[in-house]
Amino acid sequence: FDHLSGTESILQNVFARHAHTNGAKTWCVSEGKDYSYAEIDHDANRAADGLKNEFGIRKGDAVAVCMHNRAQFFVAMFAIQRLGAVYVPCSTLYCVDELRYQLDHAEVRALFTDDAMLPLVLQSLPNEKLRNQIVVCGTDSSHSHFRYESFLEGRSADMPIESQSITADDLAMIMYTSGTTARPKGVMYSHGNMTT
């Protein structure tokens, strides 16, 4: 494939095609459960619908993912990119200052996290508006933020129409450097970069 042009340059289109042809096959195993291509694809569309209609996320908006390895990590990444929004992965090893810097520098507008990371996330928020734009994966129901399951409930499972306007040159991800000599730098990856 020519990964630098056309629909094959869009990672979520490649994944959606695999979900269509190999839907029942296992994509990953997480927390003792098998997740099929079709399940991840279906939930990514529902999460994208939630980001758009609950949080107002649009093309070019930065959305962070700060969680441990789990199937919902893939769902969040694909959901963000299906809207043409920008996926910002955050290290689970960050301290408050490091995470706050990244969320502020990337101008993050919404965030996916898990129960274990939520306390750090809440201490690291660069603004109060972001506090109401957090989706939390896990089993702890003692907090008031959007639970992952309820965030997806009743959402459209159709690929968002915004995905049709994404090109290989559009920004897909900002990944931060380690910051060993200065503040971390945000490295910008296009959809073509990620697919390649």
Side-chain angles (χ1 to χ4, degrees), residues 32-128:
K33 181 182 184 304
D34 288 7
Y35 290 85
S36 70
Y37 279 83
E39 285 177 286
I40 298 295
D41 187 61
H42 180 263
D43 285 352
N45 288 338
R46 294 165 68 206
D49 187 64
L51 286 172
K52 176 183 174 181
N53 293 307
E54 190 71 46
F55 292 166
I57 298 300
R58 299 291 181 261
K59 187 173 184 177
D61 290 340
V63 180
V65 179
C66 185
M67 67 173 73
H68 293 93
N69 290 338
R70 59 193 314 144
Q72 292 80 14
F73 196 103
F74 297 112
V75 171
M77 180 185 74
F78 285 129
I80 293 161
Q81 294 178 342
R82 286 176 182 196
L83 293 175
V86 182
Y87 160 59
V88 182
C90 302
S91 172
T92 56
L93 301 177
Y94 278 159
C95 67
V96 170
D97 179 61
E98 291 168 321
L99 182 55
R100 181 182 293 124
Y101 172 78
Q102 184 175 348
L103 298 177
D104 184 49
H105 188 262
E107 299 179 1
V108 167
R109 294 217 30 234
L111 191 146
F112 286 87
T113 191
D114 57 29
D115 290 330
M117 295 305 301
L118 183 61
L120 175 69
V121 165
L122 293 177
Q123 293 176 62
S124 306
L125 298 180
N127 61 69
E128 281 302 304

Side-chain angles (χ1 to χ4, degrees), residues 15 18-19 21-30 32-40 71 74:
F15 185 83
H18 282 296
T21 58
N22 302 300
K25 291 185 179 178
T26 299
W27 161 253
C28 69
V29 179
S30 176
K33 181 182 184 304
D34 288 7
Y35 290 85
S36 70
Y37 279 83
E39 285 177 286
I40 298 295
F74 297 112

Side-chain angles (χ1 to χ4, degrees), residues 97-98 101-102 177-185:
D97 179 61
E98 291 168 321
Y101 172 78
Q102 184 175 348
T177 62
S178 61
T180 51
T181 58
R183 280 291 197 180
K185 313 281 191 303

